Amino acid sequence: AQSVTQLDSHVSVSEGTPVLLRCNYSSSYSPSLFWYVQHPNKGLQLLLKYTSAATLVKGINGFEAEFKKSETSFHLTKPSAHMSDAAEYFCVVSVLSGGTSYGKLTFGQGTILTVHP
Amino acid sequence: EAQVTQNPRYLITVTGKKLTVTCSQNMNHEYMSWYRQDPGLGLRQIYYSMNVEVTDKGDVPEGYKVSRKEKRNFPLILESPSPNQTSLYFCASSLQDGSYGYTFGSGTRLTVV
């Protein structure tokens, strides 16, 4: 079974300060991991993905994440928050077995990021 | 423009009245899936399809049906909707193994009264 835990349901930062959104995963096999962002009343947009290549993954809008197998973590970071970053963020794991995806996605429960002026 | 299109965006219906939410993608993706999003629960997978005529249950399939007769379309069918199916629904597609990320539709907000 696969699972994803986002350790904070809400994170609040000031504009210009660093952002850290934490995600731990559980998987019996090598996972693919993703971060998605959802702005209010919008669909989900892919921020970045890890698929067994480089462990430090760079995404859009200055976000990056590091895959740490020993810690089963995939935390999302950004050096300097912008007001436009205020949204809900989802960590997602894709089920893999024997190198073939079974197509099941497991979402974390989401972290709401608030950015203060 | 590469996209996943869901219709309708908003739907209010009554208990027991069959409805279909359509999903179409123009990227020639093999994989398509449906999710529901509820406050505090994140997104949960309802059904997915690895290719035409190949579908399988996700985590919350009860009360839903799907079909995949064509590669581009993956409709979600509620034969007898109930109020506990009131939710925000998303369709997504990707290349077959999903490892390159998933493209999501804009969502369908369904209310069952």
Side-chain angles (χ1 to χ4, degrees), chain A residues 12-17 81-86 113-117:
Chain A
S12 182
V13 301
S14 297
E15 192 174 21
T17 64
H82 294 164
M83 296 296 292
S84 61
D85 294 329
L113 175 65
T114 302
V115 182
H116 298 286

Side-chain angles (χ1 to χ4, degrees), chain A residues 32 34 36 38 41-46 49-51 88 90 92 94 96 99-110, chain B residues 9 31 33 35 37 40-45 48 50 57-59 88 90 96-106 109:
Chain A
S32 288
F34 310 84
Y36 279 85
Q38 185 180 30
N41 299 312
K42 299 288 187 183
L44 290 101
Q45 180 184 21
L46 178 65
K49 59 183 183 288
Y50 166 78
T51 56
E88 189 165 17
F90 292 96
V92 183
S94 179
L96 298 175
T100 302
S101 169
Y102 285 120
K104 294 191 71 172
L105 294 187
T106 301
F107 282 73
Q109 292 185 329
Chain B
R9 291 292 308 276
Y31 175 92
S33 62
Y35 305 83
Q37 183 177 21
L41 297 177
L43 280 87
R44 293 176 292 168
Q45 194 172 39
Y48 61 96
M50 299 299 285
K57 297 177 181 178
D59 295 317
L88 179 58
F90 288 100
Q96 189 167 37
D97 68 359
S99 59
Y100 294 98
Y102 301 81
T103 302
F104 283 81
S106 298
R109 187 168 293 281

Side-chain angles (χ1 to χ4, degrees), chain B residues 8-15 17-19 21 81 86-87 108-113:
Chain B
R9 291 292 308 276
Y10 301 91
L11 178 61
I12 301 175
T13 190
V14 297
T15 299
K17 184 177 182 181
K18 181 179 178 180
L19 66 92
V21 183
T86 292
S87 187
T108 296
R109 187 168 293 281
L110 172 65
T111 302
V112 183
V113 297

